[in-house]
Amino acid sequence: SLPFIVFMASARLASTRSETPSVHYPWRALAMAAVLALVWPALRALPWRFDTLAFASGLAIGAMWIVTAPVAPEGPAPFGALTGAAFAIWVMARVIGTSLFVPVIEEIFFRGYLMTLLGSESGRKWQVALSVLISAGLFAFLHGRWVEALIAGVIFGALVWRSKNVTDAILSHATANTMIAAWVLATGAWHAI
């Protein structure tokens, strides 16, 4: 999946360029926006809908992520020494990227592409369950808080299993991330996203 490749490559590039890679998030968000615009026709063709269970599970995941958030680590803030307009741009990019771009990119890859590759459409319950667990495990591997991410990944996978619709996982993930981003904006706990 091209969006996921760009997402991962931009993270790798940022981490090799700086001791504070998060300061480069606006460039990563711009790259994510560009690649999502490139695949927009395919995204638009997905069966988008509002699902109450997906929304509610996103609220629960967001609450879990907030309640279990670690204490801020010692060291520089993720935004480095940015101030003024540069800080405002960083905040805007971080909130939009976290709330919109990341859920689409990660869910299309993990629950759309990877679960399908692992046999989620086979009709065999054991194979579907295995595809949910493997995709959730790989999803958790990318996150520093792997227990919470594993739980979230299983829930996202179960939503797709239930409805055969990756947009339910996207809605749940976006709801969780938006709730977390709002909490971070209110508290300044930037380390949590």
Side-chain angles (χ1 to χ4, degrees):
S1 168
L2 181 62
F4 189 73
I5 292 168
V6 169
F7 174 66
M8 293 303 293
S10 68
R12 183 72 179 145
L13 184 61
S15 68
T16 61
R17 295 278 184 196
S18 174
E19 289 183 24
T20 313
S22 295
V23 79
H24 299 289
Y25 199 87
W27 297 111
R28 292 191 63 212
L30 191 60
M32 286 186 273
V35 74
L36 288 172
L38 186 65
V39 299
W40 177 247
L43 292 175
R44 190 178 55 209
L46 291 173
W48 294 96
R49 68 192 183 122
F50 180 83
D51 180 74
T52 305
L53 183 60
F55 180 73
S57 67
L59 292 175
I61 291 166
M64 172 190 67
W65 202 267
I66 291 166
V67 168
T68 61
V71 176
E74 295 294 322
F79 50 84
L82 297 177
T83 58
F87 177 68
I89 290 168
W90 185 87
V91 168
M92 186 174 60
R94 191 69 184 161
V95 169
I96 292 170
T98 297
S99 301
L100 299 175
F101 302 157
V102 170
V104 172
I105 291 170
E106 288 185 345
E107 294 312 315
I108 292 294
F109 180 76
F110 287 104
R111 263 54 72 177
Y113 171 73
L114 193 56
M115 275 182 56
T116 301
L117 183 69
L118 295 169
S120 67
E121 297 176 357
S122 70
R124 295 185 205 116
K125 288 185 180 183
W126 71 267
Q127 197 167 3
V128 176
L130 191 60
S131 73
V132 169
L133 289 174
I134 291 172
S135 68
L138 292 172
F139 176 75
F141 181 72
L142 289 182
H143 294 76
R145 296 168 58 192
W146 64 270
V147 172
E148 294 93 331
L150 180 67
I151 292 167
V154 168
I155 292 169
F156 299 148
L159 287 167
V160 173
W161 182 358
R162 171 185 148 263
S163 67
K164 311 293 185 266
N165 187 354
V166 73
T167 64
D168 288 354
I170 294 170
L171 172 62
S172 183
H173 196 156
T175 301
N177 283 15
T178 300
M179 183 177 174
I180 295 162
W183 173 73
V184 167
L185 278 171
T187 63
W190 292 105
H191 67 282
I193 58 173

